[in-house]
Amino acid sequence: MRTKYAVVFICVVALVIIEKESNILSRVSDKLIPRQTPQQTPQTPESDNNTGPKGSAAVLNVLLAKQPATKNNLTNFFEKKEVDETDSIKAQRNSSGRKHVLLMASTRTGSSFVGEFFNQHGETMFYLFEPLWHVERVMATAAEVNNGTILPGVYRDILQALFLCDFSPLEMFISPPPKNHVTPDLFRRESSLSLCEDPVCTTVLKDVFERYHCKIRQCGPLNLTLASESCLTKQHHAIKTVRVRQLDTLQPLVEDLRLDVTVIQLVRDPRAILASRMVAFSSKYRTWKAWAQDGQVPEDDEEVKRLKGNCDQVRISAELGLSKPHWLKGRYMLVRYEDIARYPMQKAEEMYKFTGIPFSSQARDWILRNTQTTEEASGIYSTQKNSSEQAEKWRIGIPFTLVQVVQKVCAPTMKLFGYKFVDDEKALTNKSISLLEDKQFP
Ligand SMILES: *[C@@H]1O[C@H](CO)[C@@H](O)[C@H](O)[C@H]1NC(C)=O
Ligand SMILES: *[C@@H]1O[C@H](CO)[C@@H](O)[C@H](O)[C@H]1NC(C)=O
Ligand SMILES: *[C@@H]1O[C@H](CO)[C@@H](O)[C@H](O)[C@H]1NC(C)=O
Ligand SMILES: *[C@@H]1O[C@H](CO)[C@@H](O)[C@H](O)[C@H]1NC(C)=O
Ligand SMILES: *[C@@H]1O[C@H](CO)[C@@H](O)[C@H](O)[C@H]1NC(C)=O
Ligand SMILES: *[C@@H]1O[C@H](CO)[C@@H](O)[C@H](O)[C@H]1NC(C)=O
Ligand SMILES: *[C@@H]1O[C@H](CO)[C@@H](O)[C@H](O)[C@H]1NC(C)=O
């Protein structure tokens, strides 16, 4: 009896979720279609058949298939000429000296921490924390239907709009829909200093605002028009995201002549990522815990395949970036979380230098305060004991059986990034054995 009720309950919940998602998707396609292809909307068979996520997704697909037309044009232009950024293209770029930083990471790689390096830059920075969260939430069902091929394009186009201070494409994914461009529901709004400082913070609910502790200032609902206006006044823009997985899908964004984009890919030892995810998302990783107890891991299990898939995606993106294709020359940087943990100040300086944004005293202060270093120890060759200790904690927590699995399925990724393999539990837990090769990524 009980299971029967449980099944009914799950079905009802599932229906409610599907209903909600398809509403949002319809909203998205309703809004996008008239804007992009007005002549086609009423007549297309897809819109007659637009009753669920699949229909909406099909509409989006059509839409996205159309969009790249002008971009392909640009792409062709680049490919034909085979020129370097340094020459004529650079002259054509018109971002008015504005730099756009995309911090591309995966979960549990320290990306929030590294994002702070830019968030804390000061008044001239407009920083957004995981804006694509809204998109992923709506598109997850559609992406499955579509074999995961449309999501990267949607992500890229929304990032492009955000870098241009246009929030309207993102707005279509915010639930419930913003009224007059005002929403109390932007994901982790308090993680962006630029969204809780004046004048974007219109109503202060609790004012204990300090420049470095934005999180304790509570603002009223966010006026996205104001956010956009503020964005336009900022000299530099940075976005952190764990949702972009394929670097190649970003080409049209990087080639947009109105932007001056730098992609910083943040990576971490996949063994540490697994250990950290098992703690952070503990119910999702229940299977892994069970395997750890059995001492047996079925290697053809979906979970293991997913781990391999994640590792491969990160590696493929890094290989592309490191191979320096013309469209990424001078615009791609690979950073290991472990190096940031060891030398936070030096790494921050390098990242800033690479993006062409001057390293600010505010950012420096924040790093000093949050890595527990002293001024003199923050020089080029210093080792940050505390943050590196934190970064190595996983070695004690993770069962060796799981380490072996990661080492097997993520071997090429680990080799590329210089993470050393261990043969036994002793080597894993002995902290005087470093698991990190010193490696420069040119
Ligand atoms: C919806 O479209 C699909 C193909 O696009 C078609 O096979 C199906 O019959 C349509 N359903 C309805 C109710 O029109
Ligand atoms: C490329 O796009 C521009 C406008 O962006 C257009 O004027 C031009 O005709 C296009 N060229 C081709 C070959 O499609
Ligand atoms: C760059 O764009 C701005 C407006 O967006 C314009 O005022 C300026 O003249 C442009 N500069 C060049 C070199 O095209
Ligand atoms: C789409 O699905 C097919 C088979 O189901 C698979 O071979 C292909 O790799 C998938 N493509 C992507 C981009 O996931
Ligand atoms: C949001 O800000 C804009 C720009 O200042 C303003 O015109 C608009 O009235 C504001 N919206 C609301 C609902 O307060
Ligand atoms: C290390 O840093 C954390 C905060 O980042 C702090 O809570 C902890 O006390 C520090 N540990 C030592 C040994 O300094
Ligand atoms: C840890 O490794 C170091 C260096 O290989 C070795 O000298 C030491 O004996 C090891 N410690 C333990 C407890 O195994």
Side-chain angles (χ1 to χ4, degrees), residues 249-278:
T249 63
L250 296 180
Q251 184 169 352
L253 172 71
V254 175
E255 286 178 343
D256 189 327
L257 295 178
R258 297 164 297 176
L259 303 175
D260 191 350
V261 177
T262 309
V263 179
I264 299 180
Q265 187 182 4
L266 179 64
V267 300
R268 189 182 181 188
D269 188 328
R271 295 167 296 192
I273 294 178
L274 177 63
S276 175
R277 284 182 185 165
M278 284 175 69

Coordinates of all heavy atoms in Angstrom, one line a residue, residues 249-278:
T249 N 32.4 25.7 -27.6 CA 31.1 26.4 -27.8 C 31.2 27.9 -27.6 O 30.3 28.6 -27.9 CB 30.0 25.8 -26.9 OG1 30.4 26.1 -25.5 CG2 29.9 24.3 -27.1
L250 N 32.3 28.4 -27.0 CA 32.4 29.8 -26.7 C 33.0 30.6 -27.8 O 33.1 31.9 -27.7 CB 33.2 30.0 -25.4 CG 32.7 29.4 -24.1 CD1 33.6 29.7 -23.0 CD2 31.3 29.9 -23.8
Q251 N 33.4 30.0 -28.9 CA 34.1 30.7 -29.9 C 33.4 32.0 -30.4 O 34.0 33.1 -30.4 CB 34.4 29.8 -31.1 CG 35.2 30.5 -32.2 CD 35.7 29.6 -33.3 OE1 35.6 28.4 -33.2 NE2 36.3 30.2 -34.3
P252 N 32.1 31.9 -30.7 CA 31.4 33.2 -31.1 C 31.4 34.3 -30.1 O 31.4 35.5 -30.4 CB 30.0 32.7 -31.4 CG 30.0 31.3 -31.6 CD 31.2 30.8 -30.7
L253 N 31.4 33.9 -28.8 CA 31.5 34.9 -27.7 C 32.8 35.6 -27.7 O 32.9 36.8 -27.6 CB 31.2 34.1 -26.4 CG 31.4 34.9 -25.1 CD1 30.3 35.9 -24.9 CD2 31.4 33.9 -23.9
V254 N 33.9 34.7 -27.8 CA 35.2 35.3 -27.8 C 35.5 36.1 -29.0 O 36.2 37.1 -28.9 CB 36.3 34.1 -27.7 CG1 37.7 34.6 -27.7 CG2 36.0 33.3 -26.4
E255 N 34.9 35.8 -30.1 CA 35.1 36.6 -31.3 C 34.3 37.8 -31.5 O 34.4 38.6 -32.4 CB 34.9 35.6 -32.6 CG 36.0 34.6 -32.7 CD 35.8 33.7 -33.9 OE1 34.6 33.6 -34.4 OE2 36.7 33.0 -34.3
D256 N 33.3 38.0 -30.6 CA 32.4 39.1 -30.6 C 33.3 40.4 -30.5 O 34.0 40.6 -29.5 CB 31.4 39.1 -29.5 CG 30.3 40.1 -29.6 OD1 30.6 41.3 -30.1 OD2 29.2 39.9 -29.2
L257 N 33.2 41.2 -31.6 CA 34.1 42.4 -31.6 C 33.7 43.5 -30.6 O 34.5 44.4 -30.3 CB 34.1 43.0 -33.0 CG 34.7 42.1 -34.1 CD1 34.7 42.8 -35.5 CD2 36.2 41.8 -33.8
R258 N 32.5 43.4 -30.0 CA 32.2 44.3 -29.0 C 32.7 44.0 -27.6 O 32.6 44.8 -26.7 CB 30.6 44.4 -28.9 CG 29.9 44.9 -30.2 CD 28.5 44.5 -30.1 NE 28.2 43.1 -30.1 CZ 27.0 42.5 -29.9 NH1 26.0 43.2 -29.8 NH2 26.9 41.2 -29.9
L259 N 33.3 42.8 -27.5 CA 33.8 42.3 -26.3 C 35.3 42.1 -26.3 O 35.9 42.0 -27.4 CB 33.1 41.0 -25.9 CG 31.6 41.0 -25.8 CD1 31.1 39.5 -25.5 CD2 31.1 41.9 -24.7
D260 N 35.9 42.0 -25.2 CA 37.4 41.7 -25.1 C 37.5 40.6 -24.0 O 37.7 40.9 -22.8 CB 38.1 42.9 -24.7 CG 39.6 42.8 -24.8 OD1 40.1 41.6 -25.0 OD2 40.4 43.8 -24.8
V261 N 37.2 39.3 -24.4 CA 37.0 38.2 -23.5 C 38.3 37.5 -23.1 O 39.1 37.2 -24.0 CB 36.0 37.2 -24.0 CG1 35.8 36.1 -23.1 CG2 34.6 37.9 -24.3
T262 N 38.5 37.2 -21.9 CA 39.5 36.2 -21.4 C 38.8 35.1 -20.7 O 38.0 35.3 -19.9 CB 40.5 36.9 -20.4 OG1 40.9 38.1 -20.9 CG2 41.6 36.0 -20.1
V263 N 39.2 33.8 -21.1 CA 38.6 32.7 -20.4 C 39.6 32.1 -19.5 O 40.8 31.8 -19.9 CB 38.2 31.6 -21.4 CG1 37.6 30.4 -20.7 CG2 37.2 32.1 -22.4
I264 N 39.3 32.0 -18.2 CA 40.2 31.4 -17.2 C 39.5 30.1 -16.8 O 38.5 30.1 -16.3 CB 40.4 32.3 -16.0 CG1 41.0 33.6 -16.3 CG2 41.2 31.5 -14.9 CD1 41.3 34.5 -15.2
Q265 N 40.2 29.0 -17.2 CA 39.7 27.7 -16.9 C 40.3 27.2 -15.6 O 41.6 27.1 -15.5 CB 39.9 26.6 -18.0 CG 39.2 25.3 -17.7 CD 39.4 24.2 -18.7 OE1 40.1 24.4 -19.7 NE2 38.8 23.1 -18.5
L266 N 39.5 26.9 -14.6 CA 40.0 26.5 -13.3 C 39.8 25.0 -13.1 O 38.7 24.5 -13.3 CB 39.2 27.3 -12.2 CG 39.5 26.9 -10.7 CD1 40.9 27.4 -10.4 CD2 38.5 27.6 -9.8
V267 N 40.9 24.3 -12.8 CA 40.8 22.8 -12.7 C 41.3 22.4 -11.3 O 42.0 23.1 -10.7 CB 41.6 22.1 -13.8 CG1 41.0 22.5 -15.2 CG2 43.1 22.4 -13.7
R268 N 40.9 21.2 -11.0 CA 41.4 20.6 -9.7 C 41.6 19.1 -9.8 O 40.9 18.5 -10.7 CB 40.3 21.0 -8.6 CG 40.8 20.6 -7.2 CD 39.7 20.9 -6.2 NE 40.2 20.6 -4.8 CZ 39.5 20.5 -3.7 NH1 38.2 20.8 -3.8 NH2 40.0 20.2 -2.6
D269 N 42.4 18.6 -9.0 CA 42.6 17.1 -8.9 C 41.2 16.4 -8.8 O 40.5 16.6 -7.9 CB 43.4 16.8 -7.7 CG 43.9 15.3 -7.6 OD1 43.1 14.5 -8.1 OD2 45.0 15.1 -7.1
P270 N 40.9 15.6 -9.8 CA 39.6 14.9 -9.8 C 39.3 14.0 -8.6 O 38.2 13.8 -8.2 CB 39.6 14.1 -11.1 CG 41.0 14.1 -11.7 CD 41.7 15.2 -11.0
R271 N 40.4 13.6 -8.0 CA 40.2 12.8 -6.8 C 39.7 13.7 -5.6 O 38.8 13.3 -4.9 CB 41.5 12.1 -6.3 CG 42.1 11.1 -7.3 CD 43.5 10.8 -7.0 NE 44.4 11.9 -7.2 CZ 45.7 11.8 -7.3 NH1 46.3 10.6 -7.2 NH2 46.5 12.9 -7.4
A272 N 40.2 14.9 -5.6 CA 39.8 15.9 -4.6 C 38.3 16.3 -4.9 O 37.5 16.5 -4.0 CB 40.7 17.1 -4.6
I273 N 38.0 16.5 -6.2 CA 36.7 16.9 -6.5 C 35.7 15.8 -6.1 O 34.7 16.2 -5.5 CB 36.6 17.1 -8.0 CG1 37.4 18.3 -8.5 CG2 35.1 17.4 -8.5 CD1 37.4 18.6 -9.9
L274 N 36.0 14.6 -6.3 CA 35.1 13.5 -5.9 C 34.9 13.5 -4.4 O 33.8 13.4 -3.9 CB 35.6 12.1 -6.4 CG 34.7 11.0 -6.0 CD1 33.3 11.0 -6.5 CD2 35.3 9.6 -6.3
A275 N 36.0 13.6 -3.7 CA 36.0 13.6 -2.2 C 35.1 14.7 -1.7 O 34.2 14.6 -0.9 CB 37.4 13.7 -1.6
S276 N 35.3 15.9 -2.3 CA 34.6 17.1 -1.9 C 33.1 17.0 -2.2 O 32.2 17.4 -1.5 CB 35.2 18.3 -2.5 OG 34.5 19.5 -2.2
R277 N 32.8 16.4 -3.4 CA 31.4 16.3 -3.8 C 30.7 15.3 -2.9 O 29.5 15.4 -2.6 CB 31.3 15.9 -5.3 CG 31.5 17.0 -6.2 CD 31.4 16.6 -7.7 NE 31.8 17.7 -8.5 CZ 32.1 17.6 -9.8 NH1 32.0 16.5 -10.4 NH2 32.4 18.7 -10.5
M278 N 31.4 14.3 -2.5 CA 30.7 13.2 -1.6 C 30.3 13.9 -0.3 O 29.3 13.4 0.3 CB 31.7 12.1 -1.4 CG 31.8 11.2 -2.6 SD 33.0 9.9 -2.4 CE 32.2 8.9 -1.2

